[in-house]
Amino acid sequence: MSEDVFDLDAVAAEETKAPLRFTWHGQEWTLAHMTGVDWRVIELANTGDLEAIRRAFRYGMGEEQADRFDEVPQPIAAMTALFRRWLKHNGLTEGESGASPDSSGSTAGPSKPASARTTRASGSGSSSRARSRRAGS
């Protein structure tokens, strides 16, 4: 290849990191590092979409291992814990984009203080008019 062509294959090979190994139902399993998993799936899974989490596990395990994994129980609490551990293994926290596992922490500043005002379910102005009508009755 010429020098001015970006070789994404080479970059992806260099970025491959250690998988997460875990045991479940007496068997050892492996989830690829998220750098090896389609980022679109990880992004959706990180929103809590259960089908996306299942798809992410399939990508991370590969078809053969995922087929075996489908044969063991997968209670939501255990699978959620596994997904959270996988995120942590990749240096991520829930809600952080899976597309950037090496990103720095949040650059957002502190949020503004909450307003002392409250909102009313009946809409703006209508509750004060209702109080005035009741007071005048």
Side-chain angles (χ1 to χ4, degrees):
M1 287 190 195
S2 71
E3 286 182 36
D4 60 337
V5 175
F6 178 62
D7 188 354
L8 187 55
D9 292 314
V11 171
E14 290 173 11
E15 290 296 320
T16 302
K17 297 179 180 174
L20 171 65
R21 296 173 63 194
F22 66 98
T23 59
W24 179 243
H25 275 261
Q27 299 179 55
E28 188 172 301
W29 307 91
T30 304
L31 278 167
H33 194 277
M34 287 182 181
T35 56
V37 179
D38 189 309
W39 68 272
R40 296 166 290 195
V41 174
I42 299 300
E43 188 72 28
L44 188 56
N46 207 8
T47 67
D49 183 296
L50 296 178
E51 178 59 22
I53 291 171
R54 190 189 68 75
R55 286 179 48 212
F57 286 164
R58 283 197 78 76
Y59 272 99
M61 291 180 176
E63 291 300 316
E64 182 182 319
Q65 183 180 203
D67 287 344
R68 286 188 302 112
F69 193 70
D70 284 343
E71 300 297 319
V72 297
Q74 296 181 12
I76 188 75
M79 296 305 101
T80 301
L82 176 58
F83 187 70
R84 286 180 177 146
R85 179 63 183 97
W86 195 24
L87 287 172
K88 185 177 178 182
H89 176 78
N90 287 277
L92 299 173
T93 56
E94 287 183 79
E96 183 179 344
S97 171
S100 57
D102 293 328
S103 65
S104 60
S106 172
T107 57
S111 61
K112 294 179 182 176
S115 170
R117 292 186 55 161
T118 60
T119 58
R120 305 234 187 258
S122 59
S124 72
S126 62
S127 60
S128 61
R129 283 192 297 271
R131 279 194 305 271
S132 295
R133 275 185 254 139
R134 281 193 303 267
S137 309

